[in-house]
């Protein structure tokens, strides 16, 4: 269906429509740009109202054998009116409009994602609604918006601090100590740390018989579906697994550090021919398999799972939570300067002042015709139909 008016959304020159860094409030995350309205064939349109609204769409699938894809949409903030006919008028005549806007992004909004072949998906749409005179329903068009979150970058101090712990076997025969050097990772980043198994000094006779059958470390992804009216459903996906020790007596390695070196998986964005496929405008194009996030319908978590299987001793298993970001450590470090600049820019923003004034192109304005690359010839007050010359 062809709309009676052409609608476009554009960002600032050489800028993405998403400004600041979502997830970092000090950068004032926002959508900033302008809505362009143009008529067809130099026609005049009678406009009563123009407004925009941002929506988030969460979609989940495969929570059970018979489940179908389910979508839930959420309005982000309130409608923003870009134009309203003045009091006493139902509409005004225009040939075009350039309407600037700024939509502040709440801190809690999750990032755009499509994971596990569409099992979970979050996308955003910016709807532009135009109410024309004598029209019972407004016409609208939506535009995809990609939102990335930057609050879990590995450069932040809280994620670069080592995380350590200790677990005692259920029968108290052995102790297992572990340490991860940091807790935030992106695609291709290396997870490092160590594991150490020690016998209980109070039970030397029993611990002497213990044999380590297998000591392993693995990365696990856990998706929890939390659909309204249903019990939570969990879905696990296992990635890289490394064996640190196997078939060895505890007495031979007691107190020894077993190094953890395991790469977080990344996906190839190029196809078999080495070509980057056409990008979906609603989703980021990157090499991450997924990242830590939470919405009303699902939650994605990641763990480093350390397992120790013994003979003559009960097994030990540890699920250490980690944070996963769409950006590897090199990219995180390269973003530091840009984030600092965005913080400085945000301090200069005036809440009620946009980057430009609205531009309204009226049929009796000579400059309005320049939008279409034509020049109007003749007196504006003349009753004769003016000539139009293509420039």
């Amino acid at each position: 269906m062809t709309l009676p008016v052409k609608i476009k959304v554009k960002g600032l020159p050489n800028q993405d429509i998403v400004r600041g860094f979502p997830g970092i409030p000090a950068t004032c995350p926002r959508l900033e740009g302008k809505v362009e309205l143009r008529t067809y064939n130099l026609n005049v349109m009678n406009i009563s109202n123009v407004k925009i609204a941002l929506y988030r769409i969460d979609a989940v699938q495969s929570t059970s054998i018979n489940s179908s894809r389910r979508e839930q949409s959420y309005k982000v903030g309130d409608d923003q009116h870009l134009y309203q006919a003045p009091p006493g008028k139902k509409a005004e005549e225009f040939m075009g409009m350039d309407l600037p806007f700024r939509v502040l992004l709440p801190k809690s909004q999750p990032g755009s994602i499509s994971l596990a072949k569409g099992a979970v998906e979050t996308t955003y749409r910016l709807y532009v609604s135009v109410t024309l005179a004598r029209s019972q329903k407004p016409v609208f068009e939506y535009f995809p918006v990609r939102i990335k979150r930057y609050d879990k970058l590995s450069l932040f101090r809280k994620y670069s601090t080592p995380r350590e712990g200790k677990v005692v076997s259920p029968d108290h025969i052995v102790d297992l100590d572990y340490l991860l050097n940091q807790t935030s990772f992106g695609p291709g980043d290396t997870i490092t740390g160590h594991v150490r198994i020690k016998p209980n000094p109070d039970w030397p006779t029993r611990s002497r018989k213990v044999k380590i059958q297998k000591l392993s470390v693995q990365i696990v992804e856990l998706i929890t579906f939390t659909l309204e009216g249903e019990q939570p459903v969990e879905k696990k996906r296992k990635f890289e697994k490394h064996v640190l020790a196997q078939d060895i007596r505890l007495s031979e390695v007691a107190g020894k550090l077993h190094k953890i070196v395991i790469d977080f998986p990344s996906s190839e964005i190029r196809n078999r021919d080495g070509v980057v496929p056409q990008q979906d405008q609603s989703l980021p194009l990157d090499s991450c398999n997924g990242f830590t996030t939470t919405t009303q319908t699902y939650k994605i978590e990641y763990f480093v799972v350390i397992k120790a299987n013994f003979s003559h001793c009960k097994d030990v298993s540890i699920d250490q939570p980690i944070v996963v970001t769409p950006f590897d450590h090199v990219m995180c470090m390269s973003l530091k300067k840009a984030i600092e600049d965005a913080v400085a820019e945000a301090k200069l923003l005036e809440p009620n002042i946009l980057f430009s004034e609205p531009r309204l192109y009226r049929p009796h304005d000579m400059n309005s015709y320049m939008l279409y690359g034509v020049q109007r010839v003749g007196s504006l007050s003349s009753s004769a139909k003016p000539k139009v010359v293509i420039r």
Side-chain angles (χ1 to χ4, degrees), residues 136-152:
Q136 295 182 353
K137 291 184 178 180
V139 297
F140 69 87
E141 193 164 347
Y142 70 82
F143 301 85
V145 177
R146 293 188 297 266
I147 294 181
K148 297 181 180 181
R149 288 186 64 88
Y150 298 85
D151 55 330
K152 296 179 174 63

Side-chain angles (χ1 to χ4, degrees), residues 59-294:
V60 298
Q61 193 174 8
S62 300
T63 56
S64 62
I65 296 177
N66 298 321
S67 68
S68 58
R69 181 180 175 90
R70 297 175 59 175
E71 291 188 356
Q72 181 68 48
S73 61
Y74 305 90
K75 181 184 284 189
V76 181
D78 299 323
D79 292 346
Q80 187 173 126
H81 290 265
L82 304 185
Y83 170 78
Q84 180 67 51
K89 290 187 177 181
K90 291 185 177 181
E92 287 189 297
E93 290 185 341
F94 296 101
M95 294 181 64
M97 288 181 164
D98 291 341
L99 304 173
F101 65 85
R102 180 187 294 155
V103 179
L104 300 181
L105 296 176
K107 182 181 178 181
S108 60
Q109 289 305 310
S112 306
I113 189 174
S114 181
L115 186 61
K117 297 180 179 180
V120 296
E121 191 172 275
T122 290
T123 55
Y124 288 86
R125 295 175 179 176
L126 183 64
Y127 281 82
V128 180
S129 173
V130 180
T131 303
L132 303 173
R134 301 179 183 177
S135 176
Q136 295 182 353
K137 291 184 178 180
V139 297
F140 69 87
E141 193 164 347
Y142 70 82
F143 301 85
V145 177
R146 293 188 297 266
I147 294 181
K148 297 181 180 181
R149 288 186 64 88
Y150 298 85
D151 55 330
K152 296 179 174 63
L153 302 183
S154 58
L155 62 87
F156 295 140
R157 182 177 299 176
K158 64 178 179 180
Y159 298 127
S160 60
T161 304
R163 184 66 53 86
E164 57 185 339
K166 177 180 179 179
V167 178
V168 180
S169 64
D171 50 12
H172 298 278
I173 296 178
V174 300
D175 297 341
L176 188 149
D177 300 333
Y178 69 93
L179 178 142
L180 297 181
N181 291 320
Q182 64 183 66
T183 56
S184 175
F185 306 94
D189 285 346
T190 301
I191 301 173
T192 60
H194 66 255
V195 179
R196 177 167 54 190
I197 300 176
K198 299 182 296 184
N200 186 338
D202 296 332
W203 289 351
T205 304
R206 296 185 63 180
S207 61
R208 196 176 300 121
K209 300 178 182 179
V210 174
K211 184 178 182 180
I212 302 174
Q213 294 178 332
K214 182 184 291 187
L215 175 62
S216 64
V217 58
Q218 187 171 35
I219 301 170
V220 174
E221 174 189 81
L222 175 64
I223 304 176
T224 305
F225 298 93
T226 54
L227 297 173
E228 186 176 356
E230 297 184 10
Q231 291 295 322
V233 176
E234 294 184 350
K235 183 177 180 180
K236 285 187 178 181
R237 188 163 59 145
K238 298 180 179 179
F239 296 112
E240 301 292 327
K241 182 177 183 179
H242 284 195
V243 176
L244 307 182
Q246 193 169 6
D247 295 328
I248 189 170
R249 290 192 175 278
L250 176 60
S251 57
E252 297 177 21
V253 294
K256 176 184 176 181
L257 293 180
H258 301 273
K259 291 186 178 181
I260 298 174
V261 180
I262 184 170
D263 293 334
F264 194 87
S266 61
S267 59
E268 179 57 59
I269 61 176
R270 300 178 184 271
N271 59 23
R272 295 179 180 178
D273 298 324
V275 178
V276 177
Q278 186 174 1
Q279 188 173 4
D280 186 338
Q281 294 301 309
S282 61
L283 295 167
L285 182 64
D286 47 44
S287 59
C288 70
N289 282 289
F291 51 84
T292 305
T293 186
T294 301

Side-chain angles (χ1 to χ4, degrees), residues 8-12 15 17 32-36 101 355:
K8 290 184 180 179
V9 170
K10 294 183 177 181
L12 276 63
Q15 297 285 346
I17 190 175
E32 201 163 33
K34 65 178 178 179
V35 172
E36 287 188 357
F101 65 85
F355 62 92

